[in-house]
Amino acid sequence: MFARVGLLALLALGLLLLAPGAAAQQAGLELLTVTGGEARQTYSVSLQVLLFMTALSVIPALLITTTAFTRIIIVLAILRQGLGTQQTPSNQVLLGIALFLTIFIMAPVGDRVYQEAITPYLAEELPPAEALAAAAAPVREFMLAHTRETDLAMFASLGGHGSFETPDDVPLSVLLPAFVTSELKTAFQIGFLLLVPFLIIDLVVASVLMSMGMVMLSPLIISLPFKIMLFVLVDGWSLVMTTLAGSFFI
C-alpha cells in the first residue's frame, strides 16, 4: 500500500511521457555512433525517455511541495531544536518519520488518483491528457483545502490575476507558491506552541541556577533531562503525530 501510494504522483506526472504506443511513433535522438572498420552502428535514445529522465530531477521537489511533507519535517525539526538534543533523532530518522506520515496523510488522495486516473489510463479508457487532468484534480483539491485565502490572494495579485470565481480557475503557478507559504506559516505556528513549555523549563532552570550563584554552569545541561522527562510523561511523540495528522484531516 505504501509503495503504491508513493508512486502515484510519479506515475501521474509521467502519463504524457509514457503514452502507449507513443515510443514507437517518436523519432529517436542519436546518442552514440560506434565505427569499426567498415561497420557503423548508431545508438539512439527515445525523446520521451530523455524527457522522463530529466523530469526525475524535478519530481521529488514537486512531491515535497505539493504534499504534507513540508509541514511535517519543519515541525519535527523545531521539536528537536526545542528539546535541545542536538542531532537526536538524526536527520535520517526525522526524514523517515516525515515520509511515512506523509504517505499516511496523502493515502486518500493517492487512492483517488489511482482510481480516477491511473486505473482508467492503464485500461486505455482515458487518453493521456485527460488522465493527467484527472490525476491532478485530487491533488489540487488537497492543496486548495490547506491554502490560506490571504496567501492565495497575495500571489494572485503579484501575478496580475483578478479574483477567481471557482477553485478550478486558480492556476498552478499561483496555487503552488500559495500552498507552500501557507504550509510554512502553519508549521511555524505549531512549532511555536511546541517550544513554549520547553522555553518555560529553560527559564526556570536558568533562574534557579542564577539564584544559587552557579553562573558558570550551562542551564541547557540541567534542563535537558527535565525536558526529556516532561516529553516522555505526556507521551509527546503521540501528541505531535496526532496533531500533525489531525491538522490535515480537520
Side-chain angles (χ1 to χ4, degrees):
M1 174 62 184
F2 288 155
R4 188 189 74 177
V5 175
L7 291 174
L8 291 180
L10 178 62
L11 292 174
L13 290 174
L15 288 178
L16 290 177
L17 299 179
L18 299 178
Q25 301 173 3
Q26 180 67 46
L29 297 178
E30 183 175 332
L31 178 65
L32 180 65
T33 301
V34 178
T35 303
E38 298 180 356
R40 181 184 179 91
Q41 179 66 43
T42 301
Y43 297 90
S44 62
V45 61
S46 171
L47 180 60
Q48 289 183 325
V49 174
L50 181 63
L51 292 176
F52 182 72
M53 296 302 295
T54 304
L56 286 178
S57 61
V58 182
I59 289 174
L62 291 177
L63 292 177
I64 291 174
T65 55
T66 58
T67 63
F69 184 86
T70 300
R71 181 189 304 186
I72 296 171
I73 193 63
I74 290 177
V75 170
L76 293 178
I78 293 177
L79 173 62
R80 183 177 65 180
Q81 186 71 24
L83 284 171
T85 53
Q86 303 300 326
Q87 295 299 317
T88 303
S90 63
N91 291 333
Q92 291 82 356
V93 173
L94 293 185
L95 287 173
I97 295 173
L99 176 62
F100 283 99
L101 190 57
T102 300
I103 293 175
F104 170 76
I105 293 171
M106 299 299 297
V109 178
D111 287 337
R112 285 191 56 192
V113 173
Y114 186 79
Q115 296 295 331
E116 299 176 7
I118 297 180
T119 299
Y121 173 76
L122 295 178
E124 298 185 0
E125 298 175 359
L126 285 179
E130 294 183 10
L132 185 61
V139 179
R140 284 178 55 90
E141 291 180 12
F142 173 83
M143 295 171 64
L144 283 169
H146 299 93
T147 302
R148 302 168 188 262
E149 294 183 1
T150 54
D151 295 327
L152 199 60
M154 177 186 68
F155 282 100
S157 176
L158 290 174
H161 300 279
S163 59
F164 304 108
E165 297 181 358
T166 63
D168 295 335
D169 297 334
V170 180
L172 284 177
S173 60
V174 174
L175 180 58
L176 278 173
F179 173 75
V180 174
T181 304
S182 298
E183 288 295 284
L184 291 174
K185 289 181 179 179
T186 304
F188 276 92
Q189 289 176 350
I190 298 175
F192 169 77
L193 296 177
L194 289 175
L195 287 178
V196 169
F198 300 135
L199 178 61
I200 294 176
I201 294 177
D202 286 334
L203 290 175
V204 171
V205 171
S207 299
V208 171
L209 293 179
M210 288 290 292
S211 63
M212 296 175 62
M214 303 174 66
V215 294
M216 298 301 294
L217 182 62
S218 174
L220 296 178
I221 300 177
I222 307 301
S223 63
L224 179 59
F226 290 100
K227 290 190 287 188
I228 294 178
M229 180 183 64
L230 173 65
F231 193 70
V232 172
L233 288 177
V234 301
D235 197 9
W237 286 113
S238 295
L239 290 176
V240 171
M241 300 300 175
T242 303
T243 301
L244 285 172
S247 65
F248 288 98
F249 289 114
I250 296 178

